[in-house]
Amino acid sequence: MTGTRQARAEASARATLDKAADENFPVAPFFLPRAWRDDLMAVYGYARLVDDIGDGDLAPGGADARHLGVDPAKADDRLVMLDAFETDLRRVFAGADADPHHPLLSALRPVVRRRSLTPEPFLRLIEANRQDQLVGRYKTYDELAAYCELSANPVGRLVLQITGTASPERVRLSDSICTGLQIVEHLQDVGEDLGRDRIYLPAEDMQRFHVTEDDLAAPNAGVPVRALIAYEADRARRLLDEGTPLVGSVHGRLRLLLAGFVAGGRAALTAIAAAGHDVLAGPPKATKANLLREVGAVLRRARREG
């Protein structure tokens, strides 16, 4: 690879990783051991890139398509890109002769080997994004939860595997937290998702609160939409609460990291409530001060229950 191409590859990868700053929770905070930080950022880079492919949010110029062996003219074909991404992912788990082509997947390979990670959680994230291209509405909460099993829960399981703390009970608690966090993100992004012809609010709940798709397209939320968002926010908060014992089940810096995940979701829910549950005017975002308060609250609860 020439110096210019190498620089472009590094810039493309950095642009993806820099999106970590926009998440509701810290991805790889400074207080973690360097090895954990590096490995978590490699997994984040993978998860962020597959979501960017599925959402059509790749950087302009076609660099990601070229890395994956796709004609840049076809970079807008998300299913083609996801298929190529899966092919490159499988090189991560293949023998030494099959080197992945995308720089973010090259960075993932040593993590997979060092932590003995399996393909399943990575493949689930690809499948979630394939589903996004084919399914834009969810009739029931159970259908939405099944989607979260693909789109969110694998990330929490990877965190446990990287930190060497996975167990059946911790996975169960992690799944609850991750599903709750995914619902929070859906609530923040109702307008953005609708622009992509996706609605992650269960149709049965919309019917219950007499909310139509036209209501979701309005510049501001009316009373029925606010009531629906409040209902879904309460569901997300219960999921976060159900998973919070995970924080108390671990120790040291990992406890602080997991508290940050839970607190990020709780702080976002507080921001949604402060906006009167009007998420159509723009995604409500938590303040840093509120995030820190929530971290303290989660840690206090972990000490009581630990």
Side-chain angles (χ1 to χ4, degrees):
M1 181 180 291
T2 66
T4 300
R5 289 178 61 195
Q6 178 69 33
R8 288 175 179 170
E10 291 175 356
S12 175
R14 175 50 54 189
T16 300
L17 294 173
D18 284 347
K19 294 182 180 181
D22 297 327
E23 303 293 344
N24 283 327
F25 45 82
V27 174
F30 70 92
F31 57 78
L32 293 180
R34 178 63 182 269
W36 282 9
R37 294 203 312 270
D38 290 347
D39 290 357
L40 289 171
M41 283 305 296
V43 168
Y44 174 80
Y46 173 90
R48 183 68 268 164
L49 181 58
V50 72
D51 279 354
D52 285 350
I53 293 173
D55 291 340
D57 284 342
L58 293 174
D64 293 298
R66 284 190 290 272
H67 288 316
L68 297 174
V70 175
D71 183 341
K74 297 182 179 179
D76 290 336
D77 189 328
R78 300 175 191 178
L79 289 173
V80 168
M81 288 288 288
L82 288 168
D83 287 347
F85 191 66
E86 179 177 337
T87 297
D88 210 30
L89 171 68
R90 292 189 182 279
R91 295 186 183 102
V92 172
F93 292 91
D97 294 335
D99 292 330
H101 298 165
H102 198 287
L104 289 175
L105 290 175
S106 295
L108 182 65
R109 188 174 202 175
V111 181
V112 164
R113 292 180 173 178
R114 185 163 52 248
R115 305 296 182 181
S116 300
L117 304 180
T118 62
E120 181 185 11
F122 299 100
L123 290 170
R124 283 175 175 263
L125 293 174
I126 294 176
E127 192 56 35
N129 280 275
R130 284 202 183 99
Q131 185 166 312
D132 279 334
Q133 313 314 311
L134 305 172
V135 180
R137 308 291 187 274
Y138 292 87
K139 294 180 181 178
T140 66
Y141 170 70
D142 286 344
E143 288 185 3
L144 182 65
Y147 169 76
C148 294
E149 181 68 22
L150 298 174
S151 67
N153 297 1
V155 176
R157 297 182 184 195
L158 285 167
V159 170
L160 294 178
Q161 290 170 4
I162 285 172
T163 57
T165 53
S167 71
E169 177 62 8
R170 284 177 175 149
V171 166
R172 184 186 71 81
L173 295 171
S174 172
D175 285 353
S176 181
I177 292 171
C178 290
T179 295
L181 291 174
Q182 180 75 91
I183 291 174
V184 171
E185 184 176 332
H186 288 161
L187 296 181
Q188 290 176 302
D189 295 339
V190 169
E192 180 181 333
D193 290 333
L194 187 61
R196 296 187 171 113
D197 196 26
R198 301 176 191 166
I199 297 177
Y200 296 104
L201 302 168
E204 63 183 4
D205 296 342
M206 291 177 62
Q207 184 176 7
R208 174 181 176 181
F209 287 92
H210 308 289
V211 171
T212 68
E213 293 192 17
D214 286 343
D215 293 329
L216 299 181
N220 293 96
V223 172
V225 172
R226 292 172 187 250
L228 171 61
I229 298 301
Y231 176 79
E232 304 298 347
D234 183 64
R235 170 179 275 157
R237 189 176 293 277
R238 290 198 306 272
L239 285 165
L240 294 175
D241 287 345
E242 289 169 10
T244 296
L246 175 65
V247 179
S249 77
V250 299
H251 303 281
R253 298 176 186 183
L254 180 56
R255 176 177 287 194
L256 186 55
L257 175 69
L258 298 184
F261 291 167
V262 176
R266 290 173 59 89
L269 289 173
T270 298
I272 290 171
H277 297 98
D278 182 3
V279 296
L280 303 185
K285 296 292 185 180
T287 64
K288 186 174 182 179
N290 194 35
L291 174 60
L292 292 175
R293 282 194 293 270
E294 290 291 356
V295 168
V298 173
L299 289 173
R300 286 192 294 275
R301 177 176 170 180
R303 282 196 292 269
R304 289 196 304 269
E305 297 178 352

